[in-house]
């Protein structure tokens, strides 16, 4: 029989190692985890040894992951972000099972391809219910959870925006409007949270990545008859997106970047991702500064005289 002192020493070392792993393990709540960035990040989190609360409208879409990972590492929950009670329930179930959430990846959404004039109002409103109002409700619940449930307080809120949240493209007008709205809301949240709460907000703005956003996650509306000039941007951009193009970015590699960003000690408010997005941001800021420089003098003499 081995020396009990040696056995006890080894046991304590084992416990210390387990404790160390627990401290390093992060818990992610992911919305829209059925495909695209949500699915990729969920898989990356699990492979990295972290814990995932994967939420989606149809939990059966993650049956393969549920059969691979134990309940102690993967909790799959039904969540339609347009249903406020389901949002509250998802956070409550995460609290009951794990006691905390470290990162919320606010990702659920889809696109609508149509000219602004040709987009039915009910289609635009339906997309806003998911892409903006749903994301807003998740954001509010995340902030509350990070502040009031986590001990100590704190957490990372990763808001999934897009290059369209910086620079609107033709045929994606309402999608861009929803992303612009989410960016404005997220910037306000970042300014409102008390620094003592230790809540960090980052708006992720990916360019073109290989997800289903241009296929099954994009609602296509027939072209408005007035927009038929083949030499215009709107027609060329529609044809490009309708062809289901191969995007330059790898979504699985992006998931690794998101994971790294979630643990970065001083994350940025805005995080453009992809060379095409970097170019778009530079293009947009250059145009903005050019307008400011060209018309700065027009502000002269507009001051109130008391």
């Amino acid at each position: 029989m081995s020396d009990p002192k040696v056995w006890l020493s080894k046991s304590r070392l084992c416990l210390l190692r387990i404790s160390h792993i627990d401290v390093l393990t992060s818990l992610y709540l992911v919305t829209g985890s059925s495909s695209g960035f949500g699915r990729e990040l969920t898989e990356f989190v699990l492979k990295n040894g972290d814990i995932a609360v994967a939420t989606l409208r149809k939990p059966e879409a993650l049956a393969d992951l549920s059969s691979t990972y134990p309940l102690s590492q993967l909790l799959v929950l039904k969540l339609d972000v347009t249903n406020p009670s389901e949002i509250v329930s998802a956070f409550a179930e995460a609290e009951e099972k794990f006691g905390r959430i470290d990162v919320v990846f606010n990702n659920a959404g889809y696109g609508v391809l149509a000219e602004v004039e040709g987009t039915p109002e009910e289609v635009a409103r339906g997309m806003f219910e998911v892409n903006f109002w749903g994301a807003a409700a998740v954001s509010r619940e995340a902030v509350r959870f990070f502040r009031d449930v986590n001990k100590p307080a704190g957490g990372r809120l990763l808001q999934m925006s897009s290059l369209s949240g910086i620079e609107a493209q033709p045929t994606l007008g309402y999608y861009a409007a929803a992303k612009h709205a989410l960016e404005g809301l997220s910037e306000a949240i970042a300014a409102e949270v008390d620094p003592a709460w230790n809540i960090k907000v980052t708006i992720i703005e990916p360019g073109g990545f290989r997800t289903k956003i241009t296929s099954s996650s994009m609602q296509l509306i027939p072209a408005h008859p007035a927009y038929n000039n083949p030499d215009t941007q709107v027609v060329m951009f529609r044809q490009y997106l309708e062809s289901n193009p191969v995007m330059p970015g790898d979504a699985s590699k992006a998931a690794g970047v998101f994971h790294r960003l979630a643990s970065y000690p001083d994350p940025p408010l805005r995080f453009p991702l992809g060379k095409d997005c970097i170019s778009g941001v530079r293009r947009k800021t250059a145009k903005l500064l050019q307008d400011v420089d060209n018309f700065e003098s027009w502000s002269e003499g507009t001051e109130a005289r008391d």
Side-chain angles (χ1 to χ4, degrees):
M1 181 176 178
S2 61
D3 187 336
K5 292 182 179 179
V6 173
W7 179 87
L8 183 59
S9 176
K10 290 181 178 179
S11 297
R12 285 175 176 169
L13 180 59
C14 181
L15 287 172
L16 286 172
R17 285 176 175 169
I18 292 173
S19 175
H20 181 61
I21 292 171
D22 287 343
V23 170
L24 295 180
T25 299
S26 295
L27 194 146
Y28 287 68
L29 186 146
V30 180
T31 68
S33 60
S34 62
S35 63
F37 289 128
R39 169 77 186 220
E40 294 290 350
L41 181 60
T42 299
E43 291 189 13
F44 191 96
V45 165
L46 295 170
K47 291 176 182 177
N48 193 64
D50 290 324
I51 300 169
V53 177
T55 71
L56 64 170
R57 290 185 300 113
K58 298 179 179 180
E60 60 271 18
L62 294 185
D64 58 325
L65 296 183
S66 296
S67 63
T68 303
Y69 293 92
L71 287 173
S72 59
Q73 192 181 1
L74 172 63
L75 177 62
V76 178
L77 301 176
K78 180 183 182 302
L79 172 57
D80 180 344
V81 296
T82 65
N83 187 328
S85 65
E86 290 189 5
I87 294 174
V88 173
S89 177
F91 277 83
E93 289 193 51
E95 179 184 1
E96 181 180 357
K97 183 167 181 61
F98 300 109
R100 76 181 201 275
I101 297 172
D102 302 303
V103 182
V104 170
F105 187 63
N106 200 3
N107 167 74
Y110 66 95
V112 172
L113 190 153
E115 301 81 9
V116 170
E117 190 179 354
T119 307
E121 184 172 327
E122 64 274 13
V123 171
R125 287 182 178 273
M127 188 200 64
F128 260 79
E129 286 295 325
V130 175
N131 291 19
F132 176 70
W133 289 112
V138 171
S139 299
R140 293 193 299 270
E141 190 63 13
V143 169
R144 182 201 67 79
F145 195 103
F146 291 155
R147 180 190 61 231
D148 298 342
V149 177
N150 282 353
K151 304 300 179 190
R156 300 296 177 89
L157 177 57
L158 303 182
Q159 305 283 65
M160 181 52 65
S161 182
S162 165
L163 171 58
S164 293
I166 294 291
E167 182 183 55
Q169 297 87 20
T171 71
L172 294 177
Y174 280 105
Y175 176 77
K179 292 302 185 183
H180 274 69
L182 180 61
E183 294 225 357
L185 183 81
S186 302
E187 188 170 350
I189 291 173
E192 290 173 355
V193 294
D194 188 326
W197 301 345
N198 192 30
I199 297 173
K200 305 291 186 180
V201 180
T202 297
I203 307 164
I204 299 174
E205 299 154 336
F209 279 79
R210 297 178 187 180
T211 66
K212 294 183 179 180
I213 189 65
T214 59
S215 54
S216 60
S217 295
M218 178 77 74
Q219 185 173 355
L220 304 180
I221 306 297
H224 187 286
Y227 297 85
N228 58 7
N229 183 346
D231 296 325
T232 58
Q233 279 191 339
V234 65
V235 171
M236 289 186 284
F237 205 76
R238 172 183 278 275
Q239 291 175 345
Y240 171 72
L241 290 180
E242 286 183 338
S243 70
N244 192 22
V246 177
M247 295 296 179
D250 186 323
S252 63
K253 292 179 180 178
V257 174
F258 301 155
H259 189 268
R260 179 184 177 190
L261 179 65
S263 61
Y264 194 74
D266 188 24
L269 175 61
R270 285 186 167 83
F271 185 78
L273 182 63
K275 292 182 178 180
D276 55 340
C277 186
I278 299 296
S279 297
V281 171
R282 294 188 188 282
R283 182 169 57 243
K284 177 65 179 281
T285 53
K287 288 180 181 178
L288 179 60
L289 289 174
Q290 183 179 29
D291 287 343
V292 170
D293 291 339
N294 289 345
F295 294 94
E296 179 181 7
S297 63
W298 287 38
S299 294
E300 296 296 331
T302 59
E303 298 83 2
R305 295 180 179 178
D306 297 329

